[in-house]
């Protein structure tokens, strides 16, 4: 049976004599399996007992080395890190999350436009000329019937 790489866009197949090594998904280690599946980035996909990744998706330091070791063996806990994904699946290099703005409470709002350097940023953003009491009084005056 020919083994194929499960990575997105990888067309590597296990053929006798090509020297390419394949590594099956660690189905018996749930934590490591979750990390492998996350790195593969295939939506709604679960590996079977036949699923594998080729050696091209592992860095050189993911392998055990030494004179007494024959062949290449993955270190325990190694995770695949080398993939060629389309742009929308690439990891974002910079953090694009914006910090939340400081919210001002009604008591903190100035009654005039603030321009001083020592006022909080929220006071500079908001322009307020009337207090809540002033607005309520104005509203009450509008609701009173006019006497003529």
């Amino acid at each position: 049976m020919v083994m194929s790489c499960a990575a997105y866009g990888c067309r590597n197949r296990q053929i006798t004599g090509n020297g390419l090594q394949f590594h099956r998904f660690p189905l018996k280690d749930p934590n490591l399996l979750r990390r492998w599946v996350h790195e593969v980035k295939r939506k709604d996909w679960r590996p079977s007992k036949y699923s594998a990744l080729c050696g091209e998706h592992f860095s050189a330091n993911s392998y055990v080395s030494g004179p007494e070791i024959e062949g290449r063996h993955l270190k325990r806990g190694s995770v695949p890190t080398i993939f060629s994904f389309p742009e929308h699946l690439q990891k974002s290099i910079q953090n694009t999350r914006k910090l939340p703005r400081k919210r001002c409470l009604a008591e903190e709002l100035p009654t005039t436009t603030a321009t001083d350097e020592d006022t909080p940023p929220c006071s500079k953003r908001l322009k307020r000329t009337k207090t809540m009491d002033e607005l309520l009084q104005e509203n009450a005056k509008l609701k009173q019937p006019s006497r003529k």
Side-chain angles (χ1 to χ4, degrees):
M1 183 168 136
V2 175
M3 192 178 296
S4 302
C5 185
Y8 178 87
C10 186
R11 303 211 182 277
N12 287 334
R13 308 282 184 264
Q14 186 177 34
I15 301 169
T16 306
N18 71 353
L20 193 57
Q21 198 167 18
F22 280 76
H23 307 285
R24 293 193 189 273
F25 280 75
L27 299 175
K28 293 182 181 178
D29 185 349
N31 292 328
L32 188 57
L33 176 63
R34 188 171 30 256
R35 290 173 58 198
W36 278 44
V37 171
H38 175 74
E39 290 297 322
V40 170
K41 290 183 174 65
R42 289 182 62 180
K43 188 177 180 179
D44 301 326
W45 179 79
R46 291 178 186 238
S48 70
K49 65 181 181 179
Y50 303 108
S51 301
L53 291 173
C54 69
E56 290 184 2
H57 303 290
F58 295 89
S59 62
N61 62 359
S62 295
Y63 292 96
V64 177
S65 61
E68 70 281 349
I69 299 172
E70 194 175 313
R72 289 172 38 149
H73 298 281
L74 280 178
K75 289 180 183 175
R76 194 177 300 267
S78 292
V79 178
T81 55
I82 304 169
F83 296 96
S84 57
F85 294 116
E87 212 170 293
H88 70 281
L89 292 176
Q90 298 276 343
K91 287 182 183 176
S92 176
I93 294 173
Q94 61 183 358
N95 186 0
T96 57
R97 180 177 177 257
K98 294 180 182 178
L99 295 175
R101 291 186 282 178
K102 182 184 178 219
R103 295 182 182 192
C104 295
L105 299 174
E107 302 87 45
E108 295 176 354
L109 293 176
T111 56
T112 60
T113 305
T115 57
D116 299 329
E117 293 296 322
D118 57 338
T119 56
C122 57
S123 299
K124 292 178 185 175
R125 281 196 315 266
L126 301 173
K127 182 177 178 181
R128 182 161 175 208
T129 56
K130 297 181 181 180
T131 64
M132 184 61 80
D133 291 332
E134 292 170 334
L135 290 172
L136 290 172
Q137 288 173 357
E138 223 176 80
N139 193 21
K141 286 179 188 178
L142 291 173
K143 289 183 178 181
Q144 291 177 353
S146 60
R147 297 179 187 161
K148 291 188 180 179

